[in-house]
Amino acid sequence: MENDPSSGTPDAIIYGEDDLPFLELLATLGIVEVRYDLNGEGDSGDCTLEYVCYRDGRQDARLPSIPIGFSDAGEIQLLDEVLERTAADLPEGDWVNNDGGYGTVSFFPSAICAEDRVVCDMTYRDGADDYDEDEEFDDLEPPEDEEAGDDAIVEVTFAAVQEGAVQ
């Protein structure tokens, strides 16, 4: 499935168990769902663990920090760190830079169908999503001192709407 970052609409990307070998470990630990929230723009983004659900119904806000292997440089790889990096890297669109994007990455290690084990659901912002609430009032002139007060502001705003300065 292809993501179109310029569309501004959410797309779900699905990965199988062969792509992510730690899913079996999550299932063995009794974890049925892990969800991360992603939100980014400019040149930064946050990938935050939202929750971990266990088979017995417990929920937690953290994953076990257990060793699961070694990096190419010989550093110990921990489950919680690897899963967070994986969640941040899964979206195919650029959710961090420029207009960025937001969404969730969810791992369902016990799902019966391999296609249902990892779901990346992202929305990519485009430049049209930016809206400055103060922009519509940029052309308004402040009332004269003797007109000051709430009534004067309402009159200026109403006059600006009539003149087409505010839509």
Side-chain angles (χ1 to χ4, degrees):
M1 193 177 297
E2 186 102 7
N3 260 351
D4 179 8
S6 64
S7 71
T9 58
D11 288 318
I13 303 171
I14 301 170
Y15 294 85
E17 64 183 42
D18 295 335
D19 300 320
L20 306 166
F22 52 77
L23 289 176
E24 187 175 320
L25 176 59
L26 291 173
T28 301
L29 292 170
I31 295 172
V32 295
E33 182 181 0
V34 178
R35 178 170 291 190
Y36 286 88
D37 283 327
L38 283 68
N39 190 5
E41 65 182 305
D43 63 353
S44 65
D46 294 318
C47 179
T48 307
L49 178 62
E50 186 176 338
Y51 58 80
V52 178
C53 293
Y54 288 86
R55 187 175 298 117
D56 63 7
R58 288 181 296 136
Q59 279 198 349
D60 203 339
R62 53 197 163 98
L63 276 166
S65 187
I66 57 176
I68 60 170
F70 295 94
S71 70
D72 292 338
E75 298 170 343
I76 295 174
Q77 298 286 305
L78 300 174
L79 176 64
D80 56 337
E81 294 172 359
V82 169
L83 204 55
E84 182 175 334
R85 278 194 311 269
T86 302
D89 291 342
L90 278 174
E92 289 182 359
D94 189 357
W95 65 273
V96 176
N97 293 308
N98 300 321
D99 294 326
Y102 57 92
T104 60
V105 173
S106 300
F107 299 93
F108 301 95
S110 301
I112 295 171
C113 295
E115 302 90 40
D116 296 335
R117 292 195 177 126
V118 180
V119 177
C120 180
D121 188 13
M122 296 295 295
T123 298
Y124 297 93
R125 296 181 184 98
D126 61 17
D129 290 344
D130 295 335
Y131 176 73
D132 182 6
E133 291 179 15
D134 295 329
E135 189 176 284
E136 64 185 68
F137 298 106
D138 286 346
D139 296 333
L140 297 179
E141 295 293 324
E144 298 297 323
D145 287 339
E146 63 268 2
E147 295 178 9
D150 291 340
D151 293 338
I153 293 172
V154 170
E155 289 175 23
V156 170
T157 304
F158 181 72
V161 170
Q162 286 182 326
E163 294 172 9
V166 178
Q167 296 179 357

